[in-house]
Amino acid sequence: MSSKEKPTLGGTRIKTRKRNIAAPLDPATFADAVVQIYLDNAGDLELVAKNVESSDLNFSRYGDTFFEVVFTGGRTQPGTIKPDEGERHPYSVLDCQPKRDAILPSVLYIQKILRRRPFLIKNLENVMQKFLQSLELFEENERQKLAIFTALAFSQKLSGLPPETVFQTLLKDNLVAKGLVLSFITVFFKEYLVENSLDDLISLLKRGKLEDNLLDLFPTSRRSAECFSEHFTKEGLLVLVEYNEKKIFEVKLKEMKSALTTQIAEETDISEVIETAKRAVKDANLPDVEIVRILWDMLMDSVQWSGKNQQQNANAVLRQVKTWAGLLNAFCTSGKLELELIYKVQIQCYEDAKLMKIFPEIIRSLYDLDVLAEDTILLWFRKGANPKGRQTFVKALEPFVNWLEEAEEEE
């Protein structure tokens, strides 16, 4: 066999296959083509949509540029909202009047485009983030248009637009400090609530991780419940004010229940528990009727139940009532509140099989401990309004009521 080396090819160059050659970016040409479609159709968005859909433009590569043309009428310079060189059209979102009827066609137009090209939703996110982060660079009426557009986009359930894209982008300290975010979100709330319920809005805010942080939309110096109520009342958004007040109330109520439950479980001195309850009532502006209901619930929640042993459960409840009678007495300061306590006991005994048979014993104990007056018990017996288990409980309480009436006659 020959030991000669096999010949080799020298100086050859492997050519790059054409499909691996990246064409240079040319957003200017793309933007000019889209602008021309607008101009050719005189801004008729129905016709623009048809021509855009039938075009062979590279939307997957120039999606951000497309939405810049939709919003501003042409390309914007990188990192800013300033117009870039190239053709422009006068039918953009920012060229509309700041009214929902004028801006809604643009939203519906985008919706059509997204149905055919759903991948463009990410580009819409990018452009909206860019504009919302730059709110201070827009004129006031332009910010208003963006807010109306955003509200209509969510109202029309624009394909896949995530709320956090909008709401979290807005929470930039410099925008909040200048009051720009508050102005934007106020217009947004007003427009969104035109066709949607408060529940829809709250659901949207939850998804946008903003429901519990509405005060973060206010400048630091105005970040209080009072300023919140004052601002949105002035703007005619009373439903939002009422919702926020209810939410604050629920938070304070939860805090109060937690504090009192801990004190009751730890058998804190009753005077200290009463003081804690009074402070909480004042802070939360809690109705007297509500505190009576809450106190009874917490006392029963703290009872150590004993399975199916009826007598042990009865003893545990009566022991709890005796221990904390002073707490109940401190808040049952009128016949109306005493009657409310009886109703509360009635409902719990009706709904909890463990307590069904000891209703009369509980009422007798509350009477003996001066929490309930004789007149209140007789009023409930004769004219009680709550029907839950009433017939059964009236019959069970009858011997005690007879005793009260006989004692009254003897006196």
Side-chain angles (χ1 to χ4, degrees):
M1 290 181 66
S2 173
S3 60
K4 275 186 174 183
E5 290 187 10
K6 292 181 180 180
T8 58
L9 295 172
T12 58
R13 195 169 86 187
I14 300 174
K15 292 183 178 180
T16 305
R17 299 179 74 176
K18 282 189 175 180
R19 68 167 178 265
N20 294 328
I21 300 174
L25 283 172
D26 187 13
T29 301
F30 175 89
D32 289 346
V34 176
V35 168
Q36 194 59 49
I37 292 174
Y38 273 87
L39 296 174
D40 290 345
N41 294 281
D44 184 327
L45 294 180
E46 289 282 343
L47 296 176
V48 171
K50 287 180 182 178
N51 281 273
V52 164
E53 287 172 4
S54 62
S55 72
D56 58 358
L57 295 172
N58 192 347
F59 288 92
S60 60
R61 196 169 197 196
Y62 301 113
D64 285 13
T65 303
F66 172 70
F67 285 112
E68 287 176 4
V69 174
V70 171
F71 277 98
T72 70
R75 273 200 311 150
T76 59
Q77 295 178 13
T80 180
I81 64 166
K82 291 180 180 179
D84 207 345
E85 297 177 356
E87 297 290 330
R88 307 192 76 75
H89 70 84
Y91 310 109
S92 70
V93 173
L94 294 183
D95 285 313
C96 294
Q97 290 294 314
K99 298 176 182 177
R100 62 186 293 114
D101 292 342
I103 295 174
L104 181 58
S106 293
V107 176
L108 298 177
Y109 160 69
I110 291 175
Q111 195 167 47
K112 284 183 181 178
I113 301 298
L114 290 176
R115 282 174 184 157
R116 289 291 300 271
R117 295 181 170 87
F119 61 87
L120 284 175
I121 191 65
K122 187 60 184 174
N123 302 106
L124 177 60
E125 283 183 55
N126 295 340
V127 173
M128 287 189 70
Q129 281 181 321
K130 173 183 173 180
F131 288 164
L132 295 179
Q133 286 172 349
S134 308
L135 278 181
E136 60 192 325
L137 302 179
F138 289 97
E139 299 293 333
E140 184 177 349
N141 73 325
E142 291 177 330
R143 290 194 290 269
Q144 190 175 355
K145 294 170 190 176
L146 285 173
I148 294 171
F149 174 89
T150 307
L152 291 174
F154 284 121
S155 184
Q156 295 294 322
K157 297 178 174 57
L158 205 61
S159 306
L161 183 64
E164 55 268 26
T165 296
V166 174
F167 299 132
Q168 295 305 311
T169 302
L170 287 171
L171 295 177
K172 286 182 67 177
D173 291 343
N174 63 315
L175 298 179
V176 172
K178 292 176 181 177
L180 300 178
V181 174
L182 183 58
S183 298
F184 179 95
I185 209 71
T186 300
V187 175
F188 175 90
F189 287 158
K190 283 182 176 180
E191 293 299 330
Y192 186 81
L193 288 171
V194 169
E195 293 183 345
N196 299 275
S197 68
L198 179 65
D199 288 341
D200 293 330
L201 177 59
I202 299 308
S203 175
L204 189 66
L205 292 174
K206 281 181 180 177
R207 286 161 51 210
K209 301 174 184 176
L210 194 63
E211 185 212 8
D212 296 324
N213 305 305
L214 289 177
L215 282 180
D216 291 348
L217 301 169
F218 284 71
T220 309
S221 59
R222 299 178 59 197
R223 206 166 284 177
S224 67
E226 293 74 22
C227 286
F228 185 100
S229 297
E230 181 184 347
H231 173 78
F232 286 114
T233 299
K234 183 180 177 182
E235 295 293 339
L237 290 167
L238 287 173
V239 288
L240 196 60
V241 173
E242 291 167 0
Y243 166 78
N244 193 57
E245 288 175 348
K246 182 182 177 183
K247 192 168 181 63
I248 291 171
F249 174 79
E250 289 172 351
V251 169
K252 290 181 177 179
L253 197 61
K254 186 177 180 181
E255 291 172 351
M256 182 191 78
K257 287 181 178 180
S258 177
L260 290 176
T261 299
T262 300
Q263 288 185 325
I264 289 171
E266 294 175 351
E267 298 184 354
T268 306
D269 186 87
I270 195 166
S271 61
E272 190 177 333
V273 179
I274 291 172
E275 191 57 37
T276 299
K278 285 183 175 179
R279 278 199 309 272
V281 167
K282 184 178 179 181
D283 184 42
N285 196 23
L286 195 67
D288 293 337
V289 168
E290 195 64 34
I291 185 63
V292 169
R293 295 170 183 159
I294 289 168
L295 289 175
W296 180 259
D297 281 339
M298 287 193 300
L299 292 180
M300 292 302 100
D301 288 344
S302 300
V303 171
Q304 299 296 317
W305 302 106
S306 179
K308 295 182 180 180
N309 191 312
Q310 187 68 32
Q311 190 55 49
Q312 286 185 7
N313 286 331
N315 292 340
V317 170
L318 297 175
R319 189 162 52 248
Q320 188 81 326
V321 169
K322 184 176 181 180
T323 302
W324 296 102
L327 177 60
L328 293 170
N329 203 19
F331 292 92
C332 289
T333 54
S334 68
K336 178 184 176 183
L337 296 174
E338 290 175 19
L339 188 61
E340 190 59 43
L341 178 59
I342 297 180
Y343 285 143
K344 186 64 188 174
V345 175
Q346 174 189 346
I347 292 168
Q348 185 153 21
C349 289
Y350 173 76
E351 293 176 348
D352 191 336
K354 297 191 296 291
L355 303 177
M356 179 70 79
K357 293 182 179 179
I358 62 171
F359 174 79
E361 295 178 65
I362 294 174
I363 299 301
R364 175 67 185 258
S365 179
L366 290 169
Y367 169 78
D368 291 340
L369 294 163
D370 294 327
V371 177
L372 297 177
E374 177 183 332
D375 290 346
T376 307
I377 296 172
L378 293 176
L379 177 63
W380 175 87
F381 184 81
R382 294 165 183 163
K383 299 180 180 180
N386 195 306
K388 289 189 174 181
R390 175 169 171 75
Q391 192 172 354
T392 301
F393 294 141
V394 165
K395 186 175 181 180
L397 197 62
E398 191 171 2
F400 176 57
V401 169
N402 290 338
W403 178 83
L404 285 177
E405 290 175 333
E406 288 170 6
E408 188 177 12
E409 287 173 5
E410 288 177 6
E411 289 178 3

